[in-house]
Amino acid sequence: MISALFVPPLSDSNTSILDLSVHNPRFNSEIYQDIAKFSRFIQDSKGSNRYGVGGYLEHRKMYESHENFATGQQDYRNIHLGVDIWAEAGTEVFAPMDGIIHSFQVNEGSGNYGPTILLAHQIRGEKIYSLYGHLSSHDLDGLIPGQEIRQGQIMAHVGNPSENGGWPPHLHFQLIRDLQNFVGDYPGVCSQRDLDFYAQNCPNPALFMKD
């Protein structure tokens, strides 16, 4: 079902698996601290494919370039809790399942989500939330909490770096069991010491939503 976030849907023939982890020696600070070089790295990694995907529970060094990922315990939030789908700015994002709008807002600051939408769903008897980050600013216009969103409906667009927190264009997609009273936001990255909780609270979309 995660493949249905875009049209044409993600498939082996149009999607590359991207590695932005600390284990990839090609992805270093010279690249991720320069948006132009970062964008070229993403494009080169995708090759001729339309999409690049990956990132669930990936340990990434790049967050240490942004102050908002530092914690009060002398470490960083650097474990990625969602799936990133890298695509051109303006690419339409489709609702992968029925839901209602829980909340939305612009999460400002370098490295943050920018425009963000959260939906609430019932999946196999369980209430779960989906988060869509790094969207276009106009995607929040006219939204109302409680508004129904139908599977297959165009609900957003991939934002550009000037509005999406300063990232190469991509969608951050994340599932969340307990929102912990967050509204329009939820951590998309955690520290190593909190990983056990967040791995349970934010299941792998590729497995949880498997067709």
Side-chain angles (χ1 to χ4, degrees):
M1 193 181 296
I2 191 173
S3 63
L5 284 163
F6 294 94
V7 173
L10 278 67
S11 69
D12 291 342
S13 64
N14 64 17
T15 304
S16 297
I17 305 300
L18 270 58
D19 179 4
L20 305 184
S21 77
V22 297
H23 305 295
N24 184 354
R26 294 180 53 245
F27 186 60
N28 54 47
S29 60
E30 182 180 352
I31 293 173
Y32 58 69
Q33 291 179 357
D34 184 312
I35 185 64
K37 291 180 179 179
F38 195 169
S39 297
R40 285 197 297 273
F41 177 86
I42 294 296
Q43 187 57 56
D44 290 345
S45 298
K46 289 195 304 176
S48 60
N49 285 330
R50 181 184 294 262
Y51 311 111
V53 66
Y56 180 69
L57 298 191
E58 191 171 66
H59 181 190
R60 295 174 169 177
K61 186 76 171 175
M62 66 184 183
Y63 297 116
E64 297 179 18
S65 298
H66 303 276
E67 292 182 0
N68 56 312
F69 292 103
T71 75
Q73 299 191 38
Q74 305 302 312
D75 63 358
Y76 283 86
R77 295 186 295 118
N78 54 19
I79 309 295
H80 191 251
L81 299 173
V83 172
D84 285 334
I85 301 130
W86 306 84
E88 291 185 4
T91 300
E92 296 172 334
V93 179
F94 294 78
M97 50 193 165
D98 293 343
I100 63 170
I101 294 177
H102 173 272
S103 53
F104 52 90
Q105 68 181 22
V106 178
N107 292 293
E108 297 182 346
S110 175
N112 214 330
Y113 286 132
T116 309
I117 298 173
L118 282 100
L119 303 184
H121 315 271
Q122 288 287 334
I123 303 177
R124 298 189 292 275
E126 178 180 0
K127 188 169 187 177
I128 198 154
Y129 302 89
S130 59
L131 182 150
Y132 308 78
H134 310 301
L135 307 177
S136 295
S137 299
H138 65 80
D139 288 327
L140 307 190
D141 295 344
L143 296 185
I144 302 171
Q147 177 181 338
E148 289 190 4
I149 301 293
R150 307 300 296 179
Q151 182 177 354
Q153 175 181 338
I154 297 173
M155 57 166 291
H157 301 78
V158 174
N160 62 55
S162 68
E163 59 189 347
N164 75 1
W167 299 100
H170 71 289
L171 171 72
H172 174 97
F173 178 72
Q174 182 172 334
L175 297 180
I176 306 158
R177 288 191 164 101
D178 180 2
L179 271 181
Q180 301 177 279
N181 297 318
F182 277 89
V183 176
D185 193 13
Y186 191 80
V189 188
C190 75
S191 64
Q192 185 70 47
R193 56 190 158 77
D194 293 328
L195 179 57
D196 286 348
F197 168 77
Y198 282 105
Q200 188 282 328
N201 198 46
C202 301
N204 185 348
L207 298 179
F208 192 91
M209 300 172 63
K210 192 172 183 179
D211 293 329

